[in-house]
Amino acid sequence: MTACDVAVIGAGHAGIEAALAASRLGCSVVCFATQLDAVGNMPCNPSIGGTAKGCLVREVDALGGEMGRAADACCIQYRLLNRGKGPAVRSLRAQADRARYREYMKRVLEREVTLKQAEIVALRGVSGSYTLTTANGVTYTAAAVVVAAGTFLNGRVVTGEHVCPGGPDGLLPAVGLSGSLERLGLHTRRFKTGTPPRVLGRTVDFSKMEIQEGEDTVPFSFMSPRPVRNETVCWLTWTNGDVHRILRENLHRSPLFSGVIEGVGPRYCPSIEDKVVRFAGKERHPVFCEPMGLETGEIYLQGMSSSMPEEIQERAVRAVAGLERAELTRPGYAIEYDCFDPLEFTPALMAKQNPGLFGAGQNMGSSGYEEAAAQGLVAGINAARFVRGGEPFILPRSSSYIGTLIDDLVTRGTEEPYRMMTSRSEYRLLLRQDNADLRLTPLGARLGLLPEARADAVTAKYAAAEDEIARLEKLRLAERLRRPDVTYASLAPFDPARPDLPEEVTEQVEIQVKYEGYLRRQRGLMEEMARMENKELPEDTDYAAIRGLRTEAREKLAKVRPVNLGQASRVSGVSPADLTALMIWLRRRQ
């Protein structure tokens, strides 16, 4: 029997960050994967980032996680989304070389943790002492466990009428673990995700498509050099009436509409057959042709996710401009899997009834590589702190998109795979991708995930920005910079004595000057909400005994068990009147 401090089940994006964080905080870590060649696999799309998701990656990097550095080492094309809009909604997105990304992450894990190819089929134990058993009958013990099994728990792959047990990309499912988790008191439900068909690049007529060039933009990691490396291009084409007709005529063979698929799918990333039904008035939908890597000819058809029979997928694909002779290398498919109810977990991502047991990633009800990595980092930090007897590490939603993501999951729950969006944050003007280092790097250094020198560099960077803003104010140039059509660079002819500052500093100068009024108002809102967040609710609060609470509020609060008034205010079913009753009770108790 092998003993370790922290055991991590799964080596996808959540498991990787959890294992590395726990190890970097001084714990002995064993990380289990059913297939070591699939560490850090990207079955849904070959990209990192996107709207709001790019900010999550930069926050993971700012705290000391690995995803940003891996992306910059392995991505082959970068684009900055919403470049023409305000800084609050700008997000980095990059195409990754899938094979290179897997190899990078596997090497990092091999250097820092004990990596094992094994399926965990049983988990039992109590606080501080868990036993894990593999399919081969080998047992391990751990003081803390992070379950980051992704979409593998009782995975079922569906393509048309063909249904079989399975995980992403033809990998085997994890069939025994869900029962153990339920015996530990965790409740599971079924969610569904999907992937698009992939085609052979040499059979595609790219001349009929719109080229999507890479852009000169910032990297994901604050430590990566600029400019980024663009090594390939993507292409854009569109569905049409013929594609939609083929799909509509065969909806009776769609597992989505025939009842074969029972799991709930992501609202914001529907399959192409779902789009045709839900958006019947739209004449076309975009299809992005994205290379899987530099050493392969396979192309993802992003936007055509499907679980239709393979021959229907092929007909629909070949009705798209440029894909008339495309050869499918892999059909799209849906995958159903077990996941937890995140309301059964604390903001530290620890199961409320099972101290030392943590969850992260898609088995927590989220979707996306970036959401998984963010949760994995927090779960790994808290697993290490649990083992060492430290206080839980909890990010408030006012500090980060990571905090917003986790608070949404454990406070509001989710009835479908959760996707991060900028609109989910009340503070998105303050939680920008450009200032993630200011918000989180000093915290990462205090945790022990980053060297103090990196935090010192961040302090120096923002001090330089403040000095430059003060200089511009003194010269009365700041007022001119506040105009929408004026940039910091365009002021150079009027400012011959300006210092030679790095681009990352001048970027902060321009943002802080242009949006000063908006930033000030949002900081005021944040401070007001922080006062509510700081009013803690005792763990043993008997909500049934609090006068003035409605029955629904009593039931919801007893289930979620919020840690403070701020979290209580976001529980579904808690009204302003209920919150007032809570505040009165808390004041009397104190």
Side-chain angles (χ1 to χ4, degrees):
M1 184 179 293
T2 303
C4 63
D5 293 327
V6 178
V8 178
I9 302 173
H13 306 280
I16 288 168
E17 297 293 351
L20 292 176
S23 176
R24 290 167 181 173
L25 293 179
C27 290
S28 59
V29 178
V30 179
C31 181
F32 300 94
T34 57
Q35 174 52 260
L36 291 188
D37 293 329
V39 166
N41 189 33
M42 295 181 171
C44 294
N45 63 65
S47 71
I48 299 288
T51 303
K53 293 168 175 279
C55 192
L56 281 174
V57 180
R58 295 205 108 204
E59 290 181 350
V60 167
D61 177 74
L63 271 173
E66 194 67 31
M67 179 177 260
R69 282 178 283 182
D72 291 335
C74 306
C75 283
I76 52 182
Q77 189 208 49
Y78 289 77
R79 293 175 69 87
L80 183 63
L81 306 184
N82 301 320
R83 184 184 288 271
K85 298 182 180 179
V89 294
R90 293 174 194 157
S91 279
L92 191 59
R93 186 179 190 270
Q95 298 301 130
D97 186 310
R98 288 186 66 208
R100 190 190 296 176
Y101 191 89
R102 289 196 305 265
E103 292 164 0
Y104 176 101
M105 284 302 199
K106 185 166 181 280
R107 283 197 303 271
V108 173
L109 284 174
E110 287 171 341
R111 286 197 300 265
E112 300 190 37
V113 308
T114 300
L115 197 54
K116 295 284 186 180
Q117 180 165 302
E119 178 193 350
I120 301 299
V121 296
L123 174 64
R124 60 184 184 277
V126 293
S127 176
S129 179
Y130 288 95
T131 300
L132 304 89
T133 305
T134 72
N136 290 339
V138 179
T139 59
Y140 295 80
T141 61
V145 176
V146 180
V147 181
T151 61
F152 284 84
L153 292 178
N154 281 337
R156 188 175 77 137
V157 174
V158 183
T159 306
E161 293 87 5
H162 180 68
V163 182
C164 66
D169 277 336
L171 296 171
L172 295 174
V175 295
L177 186 56
S178 287
S180 283
L181 295 169
E182 288 173 352
R183 284 189 290 276
L184 286 172
L186 294 172
H187 296 93
T188 60
R189 64 261 186 90
R190 298 289 278 178
F191 274 4
K192 166 256 176 190
T193 189
T195 193
R198 300 167 218 182
V199 299
L200 191 59
R202 64 176 174 79
T203 65
V204 176
D205 186 353
F206 296 112
S207 68
K208 296 183 178 181
M209 301 180 181
E210 177 185 333
I211 194 168
Q212 303 277 292
E213 300 276 4
E215 298 174 346
D216 182 6
T217 184
V218 297
F220 281 109
S221 175
F222 288 93
M223 302 304 291
S224 295
R226 299 187 186 191
V228 296
R229 180 181 63 253
N230 286 299
E231 301 179 74
T232 190
V233 297
C234 297
W235 299 268
L236 171 64
T237 185
W238 300 84
T239 63
N240 52 52
D242 287 341
V243 176
H244 300 179
R245 176 184 53 78
I246 292 168
L247 295 170
R248 287 194 186 101
E249 289 176 352
N250 290 278
L251 285 178
H252 63 284
R253 299 186 65 191
S254 166
L256 277 178
F257 298 98
S258 67
V260 172
I261 291 177
E262 299 172 355
V264 180
R267 182 189 315 181
Y268 301 102
C269 190
S271 65
I272 187 62
E273 57 265 35
D274 200 12
K275 291 180 191 176
V276 168
V277 173
R278 286 169 54 184
F279 310 109
K282 292 200 70 170
E283 296 182 354
R284 63 179 192 170
H285 298 281
V287 178
F288 294 93
C289 297
E290 302 174 344
M292 283 176 58
L294 298 179
E295 302 300 325
T296 177
E298 279 192 282
I299 303 287
Y300 271 83
L301 301 184
Q302 202 59 247
M304 287 198 75
S305 175
S306 180
S307 58
M308 294 286 270
E310 183 172 348
E311 67 269 22
I312 305 302
Q313 291 188 42
E314 184 174 68
R315 285 177 56 198
V317 165
R318 289 184 174 177
V320 175
L323 300 174
E324 294 87 350
R325 294 180 175 81
E327 292 181 12
L328 266 66
T329 54
R330 315 185 203 197
Y333 59 86
I335 181 168
E336 288 185 308
Y337 56 94
D338 289 345
C339 61
F340 307 135
D341 181 352
L343 293 176
E344 296 179 352
F345 289 76
T346 71
L349 295 179
M350 185 169 73
K352 293 174 181 176
Q353 304 302 319
N354 307 91
L357 179 61
F358 298 83
Q362 284 189 261
N363 58 214
M364 285 289 286
S366 65
S367 70
Y369 311 145
E370 302 80 9
E371 290 90 340
Q375 294 172 67
L377 178 63
V378 172
I381 291 169
N382 279 309
R385 292 172 78 85
F386 176 84
V387 170
R388 299 287 184 249
E391 288 295 312
F393 169 69
I394 297 173
L395 283 170
R397 60 190 298 122
S398 59
S399 73
S400 57
Y401 277 105
I402 298 177
T404 304
L405 159 70
I406 294 173
D407 184 62
D408 277 351
L409 286 172
V410 304
T411 302
R412 295 172 176 164
T414 184
E415 298 302 320
E416 62 189 30
Y418 177 100
R419 177 178 180 173
M420 193 70 235
M421 296 179 289
T422 55
S423 60
R424 295 193 188 274
S425 174
E426 307 91 320
Y427 313 109
R428 64 183 184 178
L429 190 54
L430 298 175
L431 307 183
R432 309 181 308 271
Q433 68 167 17
D434 62 86
N435 71 355
D437 56 344
L438 173 67
R439 294 182 280 114
L440 298 175
T441 294
L443 184 54
R446 289 198 296 273
L447 285 168
L449 290 173
L450 292 170
E452 286 292 340
R454 186 164 166 185
D456 292 342
V458 170
T459 301
K461 167 184 167 181
Y462 286 91
E466 290 297 327
D467 289 345
E468 179 62 359
I469 291 170
R471 191 187 69 85
L472 292 176
E473 293 283 3
K474 187 175 181 180
L475 295 175
R476 298 184 177 178
L477 290 173
E479 193 61 40
R480 194 175 287 191
L481 182 55
R482 291 188 180 98
R483 298 174 185 171
D485 57 334
V486 177
T487 65
Y488 180 83
S490 69
L491 288 176
F494 310 98
D495 189 14
R498 67 167 44 184
D500 184 17
L501 296 171
E503 181 185 352
E504 60 181 10
V505 173
T506 61
E507 176 186 47
Q508 289 304 312
V509 171
E510 186 164 324
I511 290 173
Q512 291 182 45
V513 170
K514 281 189 179 296
Y515 297 93
E516 178 190 12
Y518 297 103
L519 293 168
R520 185 171 57 249
R521 282 198 293 272
Q522 199 154 97
R523 287 193 190 98
L525 173 63
M526 181 183 290
E527 289 167 3
E528 183 180 332
M529 290 300 294
R531 286 191 287 273
M532 185 178 289
E533 294 284 350
N534 291 333
K535 296 184 186 297
E536 295 184 357
L537 291 166
E539 288 185 16
D540 59 352
T541 299
D542 182 4
Y543 293 101
I546 298 177
R547 293 179 59 186
L549 286 181
R550 295 173 304 113
T551 301
E552 181 185 7
R554 287 189 175 115
E555 293 173 352
K556 293 289 182 65
L557 289 167
K559 181 177 181 181
V560 175
R561 307 213 68 80
V563 297
N564 52 47
L565 278 179
Q567 189 184 6
S569 71
R570 295 185 292 275
V571 173
S572 175
V574 174
S575 69
D578 295 320
L579 194 64
T580 300
L582 261 182
M583 294 172 73
I584 293 171
W585 172 83
L586 192 61
R587 193 178 302 121
R588 287 174 176 169
R589 186 179 190 277
Q590 292 173 341

